Amino acid sequence: MTDQAASAATRTPYEPHFTTIAEGSLGLDDHEAIAAMLSRAFPDYAHWYQGPRSWAGMQPELRVVARSGEIVVAHAGVRRQFVTVGETDLLVGCVGMVAVSPILQGTGLGGQLLRLVDAALDHLAVPFGALEAAERVQPFYLKHGWELLEGVTGHYNDFTADGASTLVSSDSGWLIRPGNVVRPDWPAGDLHWNGQLV
Ligand SMILES: CC(C)(COP(=O)(O)OP(=O)(O)OC[C@H]1O[C@@H](n2cnc3c(N)ncnc32)[C@H](O)[C@@H]1OP(=O)(O)O)[C@@H](O)C(=O)NCCC(=O)NCCS
């Protein structure tokens, strides 16, 4: 029996089970199941996550997904992107759509999710993970090894499902997760995504 089969045999049917999966390996059913959870976890953005559209801005390249049976109960997306910080071009793993199903929030799934996001960032060999988070949720990331970039303004193209993507700027809420590969110091200056975020 493989390790995966042995672990599946000892799990209770509805115990959340995490996998990390490449975007190209997802089927239509997977996209629909992810979108259904994201629309519940982000009710203000539910209009993005319709049917099989399981992303709002940049489509990720890797997903960390937890399922209970067939139901998706936790999710994060990661995509490698070059950003410009000040005068420096820098590879980052953009992390987004981090969410736990509302009925399971506060049970520790979010922490497990971020540990697997760390592993995904290591797998992608990026020097930094990067994301934007609202003030209310920043303590969650800080507790799990993310660092707040003080005094940094980030510029990115707004999410759009149906029209022109305008440039928006945000002068707070940018967090980074130093990776385990050899990396430079985070450069000084504004953060230019030159496109959308995951
Ligand atoms: C943010 C979110 C992913 C956290 O997942 P979770 O399963 O609820 O988190 P956990 O149960 O693993 O909590 C881990 C720790 O972070 C803390 N935490 C979780 N959410 C927090 C929040 N919004 N603010 C402050 N601390 C928070 C918990 O208190 C817990 O700390 P403890 O172990 O000392 O009790 C989840 O609440 C969620 O999906 N929220 C809605 C979507 C969202 O805002 N996503 C973030 C987008 S940037």
Side-chain angles (χ1 to χ4, degrees), residues 32 35 39 45-54:
E32 284 174 349
S39 70
Y45 296 92
H47 54 292
W48 300 125
Y49 302 117
Q50 293 294 312
R53 187 180 162 114
S54 64

Side-chain angles (χ1 to χ4, degrees), residues 41-42 98-100 104-112 132-134 136-137 139-141 143-144:
F42 296 107
V98 175
V100 170
L104 290 173
Q105 287 174 13
T107 65
L109 269 187
Q112 289 182 55
E132 186 188 27
R136 65 175 170 75
V137 85
F140 166 68
Y141 291 105
K143 182 176 170 170
H144 292 285

Side-chain angles (χ1 to χ4, degrees), residues 142-165:
L142 296 175
K143 182 176 170 170
H144 292 285
W146 289 75
E147 300 170 8
L148 187 63
L149 291 173
E150 301 280 1
V152 168
T153 300
H155 310 273
Y156 62 99
N157 285 76
D158 207 359
F159 295 170
T160 175
D162 54 8
S165 181

Side-chain angles (χ1 to χ4, degrees), residues 5-196:
S7 120
T10 54
R11 267 196 325 269
T12 59
Y14 296 106
E15 192 178 328
H17 171 55
F18 281 91
T19 52
T20 299
I21 183 165
E23 192 71 6
S25 299
L26 294 174
L28 201 55
D29 289 356
D30 299 313
H31 284 291
E32 284 174 349
I34 292 167
M37 195 282 285
L38 292 174
S39 70
R40 292 195 302 277
F42 296 107
D44 292 349
Y45 296 92
H47 54 292
W48 300 125
Y49 302 117
Q50 293 294 312
R53 187 180 162 114
S54 64
W55 62 95
M58 187 74 82
Q59 198 167 348
E61 69 172 305
L62 270 189
R63 312 260 190 165
V64 180
V65 179
R67 287 178 186 262
S68 170
E70 292 303 306
I71 309 292
V72 170
V73 293
H75 170 274
V78 186
R79 178 168 202 99
R80 282 171 287 196
Q81 291 176 240
F82 274 100
V83 296
T84 308
V85 185
E87 302 295 318
T88 307
D89 287 337
L90 190 64
L91 179 65
V92 301
C94 182
V95 176
M97 298 186 290
V98 175
V100 170
S101 188
I103 55 164
L104 290 173
Q105 287 174 13
T107 65
L109 269 187
Q112 289 182 55
L113 183 65
L114 288 191
R115 279 194 290 281
L116 287 170
V117 167
D118 287 346
L121 292 170
D122 283 348
H123 171 74
L124 296 174
V126 288
F128 297 98
L131 58 76
E132 186 188 27
E135 198 171 347
R136 65 175 170 75
V137 85
Q138 288 171 14
F140 166 68
Y141 291 105
L142 296 175
K143 182 176 170 170
H144 292 285
W146 289 75
E147 300 170 8
L148 187 63
L149 291 173
E150 301 280 1
V152 168
T153 300
H155 310 273
Y156 62 99
N157 285 76
D158 207 359
F159 295 170
T160 175
D162 54 8
S165 181
T166 53
L167 190 69
V168 291
S169 299
S170 176
D171 61 6
S172 64
W174 299 102
L175 291 110
I176 58 168
R177 176 73 169 89
N180 287 323
V181 296
V182 176
R183 60 172 192 274
D185 290 336
W186 185 266
D190 276 11
L191 167 58
H192 295 271
W193 286 89
N194 302 314
Q196 293 182 328

